[in-house]
Structure formats: C-alpha cells, structure tokens
Amino acid sequence: MAAAGPKSRPRARAKGPTANLFDIPELMPGAQPSANPAQREEFEQRCRDLSRESYLEEMEAQASRAVARATAGHGAAASDLEAMFPNIDADLIRAIHTESPTPQHAIETLLALSAAIAEPVGGSEEAASRRATSPPPLLLGVEDYDKFPCLTDGNGWQAVSQRQLERDDEDLGSAWCDRAKVAARLPQP
C-alpha cells in the first residue's frame, strides 16, 4: 500500500492589500493613457459623480453655516435687539450692539442685563412690586444752584444756562472787579 501523502490542495493566490481607488479618480485605470474606452467612460462618470457630491456637500455646509449664524444672532440688527429686549433702554441696546465683537456677545450681555433687571432687589417680592409701582420723586431740586452747579469744560470755562443769563435783576457783586484792581498793581512775571 502506498503511503498516502498529504492531500494537496490547490492554493489560492494570496492577495495583498489593495488601495481603494474609488475616491481617487486620478489612480483609476481610466485615467491612465493606456485606458480603453470603457475604462475612460467609467473614469469620467466617477469624476462627474465626485464633482456632484462635492457640490452638494458644499451647499449643505453653507446651509448649516447660515442656520448657525441665524440662530447665533449674526444677522441681528439693533432694531431686532430692541424688539427682543423691550425692558432695556434703546440707546443702551444700540451701544452694546455697536461695541460688542459679535452679535452673540451682545445678546448674551443683554440677556444678563434683562435677568438682572427682573431680579428683585432687597430679597422680598413685596418690596420689588412696591418699588415698581411707585413713581420716582418728581422734585429733584434741579433749580437749586447748590445742588446742580454749572458745568465746566477742561479749561475751567462755565457752561451757563439760559436761566442764568436772563437773571438781570440780581446784583452780581463786584468781587471780580476788586480782584482785577489788586492784580493790576502786582508786578508782571
């Protein structure tokens, strides 16, 4: 009896790793100069498909960026912010909108201000409702020169009101004249 040798099996050719040429059209067989017409047509169709996919992806990215900008407030104008925050002064809203680096920062600042305005001060709801319903005092005393003196500029010049210019009947005194006479007698520097 003959020795039974190991069964010989036909070996399959071992394939090494292959590159996925589906996304790299330049490496497809149809891109080569020796390509036949069928390979060339497959190559051109794949290029058109990749171009269409790239265009659709770009359009989706632009749409998602536009939605993100709209939800982040990038298109928010000062008038839009004034409508969103009616309890905050319009001039303050415009100033915050102008000085903020992005509209999102302006919205966050206005939200914080709006929350701070809504919080009761002093801890009790009763005090907050009482304060909100009572009007501010009407007599502030702006007519009193001691409480509200004239404004001066950087050089010390006073900005007088029309009311002060109309006061002809009062004696203004001679203090300035007396000082001028004394200064005239002093030696020049």
Side-chain angles (χ1 to χ4, degrees):
M1 188 156 143
K7 265 187 166 177
S8 62
R9 292 186 184 162
R11 290 187 179 192
R13 282 182 46 176
K15 289 187 176 181
T18 58
N20 180 3
L21 303 178
F22 197 67
D23 290 337
I24 309 174
E26 294 84 15
L27 299 178
M28 290 177 68
Q32 305 303 320
S34 61
N36 62 31
Q39 290 173 329
R40 177 85 55 202
E41 178 59 32
E42 181 183 352
F43 167 72
E44 290 173 358
Q45 183 60 39
R46 182 63 191 144
C47 288
R48 286 189 291 270
D49 291 343
L50 286 175
S51 175
R52 189 176 317 112
E53 287 174 15
S54 174
Y55 175 75
L56 291 175
E57 286 174 2
E58 181 61 31
M59 294 278 86
E60 288 175 10
Q62 285 180 358
S64 65
R65 285 192 299 267
V67 168
R69 277 195 307 270
T71 57
H74 280 276
S79 60
D80 296 334
L81 295 176
E82 289 172 20
M84 285 185 230
F85 300 98
N87 60 339
I88 299 176
D89 185 46
D91 292 332
L92 178 62
I93 291 174
R94 279 187 236 108
I96 290 172
H97 180 264
T98 302
E99 294 176 0
S100 295
T102 64
Q104 181 63 32
H105 289 293
I107 290 172
E108 290 172 2
T109 303
L110 291 169
L111 282 172
L113 283 173
S114 181
I117 289 172
E119 288 180 4
V121 178
S124 78
E125 292 288 331
E126 181 183 323
S129 66
R130 193 171 358 105
R131 185 185 68 246
T133 57
S134 65
L138 298 177
L139 300 174
L140 298 176
V142 291
E143 300 85 19
D144 187 8
Y145 180 74
D146 294 330
K147 289 183 182 177
F148 292 93
C150 290
L151 299 175
T152 58
D153 65 2
N155 296 328
W157 289 93
Q158 289 185 349
V160 296
S161 66
Q162 186 66 29
R163 182 178 48 90
Q164 287 177 327
L165 294 175
E166 292 171 355
R167 295 190 330 199
D168 291 336
D169 56 347
E170 292 182 22
D171 182 24
L172 299 177
S174 61
W176 67 272
C177 184
D178 296 337
R179 288 184 185 163
K181 287 178 183 176
V182 170
R185 291 185 227 143
L186 296 174
Q188 294 294 325

